[in-house]
Amino acid sequence: NIVAVMILILCWIIPDMPGKLRDKIQREQRLVHDLIIKQELKRTRQTRAQINEDIPIHIPDPSEI
């Protein structure tokens, strides 16, 4: 039991990866996430533009009003 507790404490004290590496990985994940969001927004805007082009719009003549 004492050995197991000591191992847990040592694993908690000594991280698996350095802090700089962890920060770099998190930064890259944020960049990828932002890139995905921008691409999805661009695709959505393009899709909406195509849908709006396909929908016929009837603009009433002033005499019809």
Side-chain angles (χ1 to χ4, degrees):
N1 286 339
I2 293 175
V3 174
V5 171
M6 292 302 293
I7 290 173
L8 287 174
I9 291 172
L10 285 174
C11 288
W12 181 68
I13 292 173
I14 303 170
D16 290 341
M17 66 176 80
K20 289 182 180 182
L21 178 61
R22 185 181 63 245
D23 293 343
K24 185 176 181 178
I25 290 171
Q26 288 176 348
R27 192 175 322 117
E28 288 177 359
Q29 287 175 344
R30 275 194 305 269
L31 289 173
V32 168
H33 182 266
D34 290 344
L35 181 64
I36 290 171
I37 294 296
K38 287 178 184 178
Q39 289 296 330
E40 288 296 319
L41 182 60
K42 182 179 176 182
R43 188 178 71 164
T44 301
R45 286 181 179 164
Q46 289 174 347
T47 303
R48 285 185 181 177
Q50 289 174 353
I51 290 172
N52 289 338
E53 288 176 0
D54 293 342
I55 297 174
I57 299 174
H58 174 68
I59 300 174
D61 197 23
S63 62
E64 294 177 7
I65 297 177

